[in-house]
Amino acid sequence: MTKLEDYLVQNGSSRDLARILLAIAESSLSVRDQLPFSTKLTSSVNTSGERQTEIDIFANDVFASSLLATGSVAEIASEEMAEVKKGHGRVHVAMDPLDGSSNISTNNPLGSIFGFYSSALPCSGTSLMGAAYVTYGPMLTLTFSTGGEVATFAATHSEGAGMDFTLLGDKLKIPAKPEVFGLGGQRKDWIGPVERFVASLEARGLKLRYGGTFVGDYNQALRYGGIFGYPALKNKPQGKLRILYEAAPMAYITKHCGGYSSNGHGDALLVEPTSLADSTPIYLGSTSLVLEMETLIRATDPAS
Ligand code: FDP
């Protein structure tokens, strides 16, 4: 069984990204262990104006300090921090340390998302040299690409006392034949083309899969083929998901497993944020389905 540290050498990941991914794997174990004990809301709010839970702050601090300790990080921007933290390395990291906070109290899947950029933040997804996400579900998994294939590792008990990350699947591909879809927000708020597109998916027999965590819902599209999106809303044309912390890293993973991601008008990796907190509509998954959605949106709003 291939371990994460061996895979990173075999697949030629840079030393910087290897160190960073090992730090993320190690820290995700601490976050998972702390989950039952730190679910309370605090009085502080994050950069999106949402109340932070104790575990949001814990996850942020654990990931930020272990990433800085690698010596490979130039800066870290986080959805949970007002200011970036500076390091002395080369990689610019943007992270959502705990994605899907509304799932904490219901014990449904949660995630952590990371983008590894070669340029100072904010910048578009074209500067990504890798991306990763952790899923805290029935299994604790780390899925990533450092420029080549997408692979998933699962935390497993090692022969000693500790935990290993063991290869669960490599060369991951999003199936071209779609089976599932999931879109955030409320149907009444979706822009017209999104509502019409979803109606056509239902007519084609695709199944709805929506649990309220980007990472968990994305895993459905990755495994079964289909589309996940947080669309442009009538009263929120830029949607909800953050470009740097969420949309671009997941678009990068999607590209490297043969899928496509769009903001409704073109490749989501080309979207240029002007601030750390900018959001974008995002649709990711099987290429033909996402392109179909994009075509419908563009036909309705050709000026954009
Ligand atoms: P949450 O607000 O619970 O943190 O990143 C934000 C996010 O979750 C995504 O994980 C999820 O896909 C989306 O928001 C859910 O939003 P809605 O409740 O509006 O559907």
Side-chain angles (χ1 to χ4, degrees), residues 94-105:
M95 67 175 180
D96 180 359
L98 202 65
D99 167 60
S101 303
S102 62
N103 275 6
I104 295 173
S105 56

Side-chain angles (χ1 to χ4, degrees), residues 6-28:
D6 300 328
Y7 173 89
L8 290 167
V9 174
Q10 285 157 19
N11 99 328
S13 300
S14 71
R15 276 173 59 156
D16 283 330
L17 290 186
R19 282 193 201 124
I20 285 172
L21 285 162
L22 289 169
I24 289 171
E26 189 66 33
S27 301
S28 70

Side-chain angles (χ1 to χ4, degrees), residues 26-78:
E26 189 66 33
S27 301
S28 70
L29 295 168
S30 309
V31 173
R32 202 252 314 260
D33 287 350
Q34 194 59 27
L35 263 170
F37 310 111
S38 300
T39 56
K40 287 197 210 75
L41 276 174
T42 66
S43 54
S44 48
V45 292
N46 68 11
T47 55
S48 308
E50 297 155 349
R51 286 271 297 280
Q52 291 174 307
T53 58
E54 289 169 357
I55 192 70
D56 283 321
I57 296 169
F58 179 86
N60 182 74
D61 295 351
V62 166
F63 283 123
S65 51
S66 70
L67 286 167
L68 285 172
T70 62
S72 293
V73 168
E75 62 177 330
I76 304 176
S78 163

Side-chain angles (χ1 to χ4, degrees), residues 94-97 99 111-115 132-134 214-215 245-246 249-250:
M95 67 175 180
D96 180 359
D99 167 60
S112 301
I113 305 175
F114 303 86
Y133 67 92
V134 174
F214 187 2
V215 157
Y245 310 125
E246 297 169 304
M250 298 302 271

